[in-house]
Amino acid sequence: INSNPINTRFRMFNPVKGEKPIIKGLPINTSKSRPIVKNHARIQKWLNDSLKRYEKNKEKRFEFLKSLFSVLREKLKIIPFQTSTHNEAFTLFEVLNDRGLQVSQADLLKNLCIKKGKNYSEQKDIYNKWQEVIDETLEENNKIQFLRTSFNSKYSFIRKNELYAAYRKILKDKNYKETYTFIETDLKNDVDNYNYLLLLGDNDLPQSIQKWITLLYHTETAQWRSLALALFRVRANHETDEKIGKTLSLIFEIVFTMIANKTRFNEIENEFPEIATKVEKGKIEKTYNLLKTFRDKKGLSYKDARIDSEDYVKNSCRP
């Protein structure tokens, strides 16, 4: 048995194939293990590199180790917490992160959903469903943007720092089954459509839609996504797709003109989510007319675009 405490702690969260895991039931390469294993490897590499640097100078090596020991002994604080139930552990995690170092609001939201389970089995079900729908489908840097876009397309405009509080209100009265369904249906459907907006996955969109999504994507802006996501939610048939494509072309006209005129995006950051919440199945013309009125009122049609000749040289369509 390897009694080295560092290796033991490493194995606690990183089971070795063919060996019995120290933590019962922890699978090999579990997602829970990755951060602590990566941190362990990084610290170990830094320490080895530092010791090699002073390999030929014993005095400097001694001073380095003395300084490191002093930091570990005098400045590093490890505070253990023990809870009697899973719910207490989740609540503690949420409170500590709310008052300490900032943690991703996506992780806090995931934690909030897991708390809806009454027992370990239900909590594990929600954890696995979140992993499947969010963690394994979206890149880490897209999670917050997706959750905000999804919310803005259904309810009302929120800023990034309001995300967790906004979803907490939605989930407040939901039980385990309702929370599980919310992830499995509402979020799953929006994730699939959101990935279309990022030009990810299989490209099975009709040309009437795909060309405008591609153009909007290459503007390197995000304000249009809430409205596009709401439109994707009401896709039904070829006729609907044609109307959605027509509406997306109008969205692109507005975005393009704002970029050309160097107009600040505050207007559409609030207006597009407002229009998105009014998108209804079978009434896409209504959405188109709302956008057209907004375009004309704000002077954001192609004829209003002030094109710099340099933009042609650069072939640029970016803010």
Side-chain angles (χ1 to χ4, degrees), residues 217-304:
Y217 173 82
H218 285 292
T219 63
E220 297 188 356
T221 61
Q223 290 83 355
W224 55 273
R225 292 177 188 168
S226 59
L227 186 46
L229 192 61
L231 290 167
F232 271 41
R233 212 177 282 129
V234 298
R235 287 185 64 202
N237 48 45
H238 175 72
E239 183 182 354
T240 302
D241 284 346
E242 290 293 327
K243 291 178 180 178
I244 289 174
K246 181 183 177 183
T247 307
L248 288 170
S249 72
L250 186 53
I251 295 173
F252 177 75
E253 181 178 359
I254 293 170
V255 172
F256 174 86
T257 304
M258 294 185 80
I259 292 172
N261 295 351
K262 296 180 173 57
T263 305
R264 294 187 65 183
F265 277 74
N266 301 46
E267 292 276 4
I268 61 173
E269 188 174 37
N270 288 273
E271 187 68 22
F272 279 10
E274 178 67 25
I275 296 175
T277 61
K278 298 174 182 176
V279 173
E280 298 178 68
K281 194 170 287 187
K283 297 183 179 179
I284 298 175
E285 293 90 345
K286 179 181 176 182
T287 304
Y288 180 86
N289 289 331
L290 285 171
L291 275 169
K292 188 177 178 182
T293 300
F294 172 76
R295 179 200 66 182
D296 296 341
K297 181 180 178 182
K298 299 295 181 178
L300 295 173
S301 62
Y302 286 132
K303 64 181 178 60
D304 299 306

Side-chain angles (χ1 to χ4, degrees), residues 198-211:
L198 301 182
L199 306 184
L200 298 173
D202 297 331
N203 181 8
D204 57 358
L205 291 174
Q207 185 63 22
S208 58
I209 289 178
Q210 181 63 46
K211 62 183 177 182

Side-chain angles (χ1 to χ4, degrees), residues 168-206:
R168 187 165 56 184
K169 287 181 181 179
I170 293 175
L171 295 168
K172 182 180 178 182
D173 297 321
K174 291 187 186 297
N175 57 29
Y176 157 71
K177 287 186 177 180
E178 291 168 335
T179 302
Y180 187 93
T181 301
F182 174 73
I183 300 170
E184 185 180 39
T185 56
D186 291 51
L187 290 184
K188 175 67 167 63
N189 182 53
D190 277 357
V191 165
D192 291 342
N193 285 328
Y194 186 76
N195 278 329
Y196 281 130
L197 306 186
L198 301 182
L199 306 184
L200 298 173
D202 297 331
N203 181 8
D204 57 358
L205 291 174

Side-chain angles (χ1 to χ4, degrees), residues 51-66:
L51 291 175
K52 282 181 181 179
R53 195 180 310 128
Y54 303 118
E55 200 168 20
K56 296 180 180 180
N57 191 323
K58 292 184 179 180
E59 290 185 6
K60 287 188 177 181
R61 181 170 174 153
F62 172 76
E63 290 299 323
F64 166 74
L65 289 171
K66 183 180 176 182

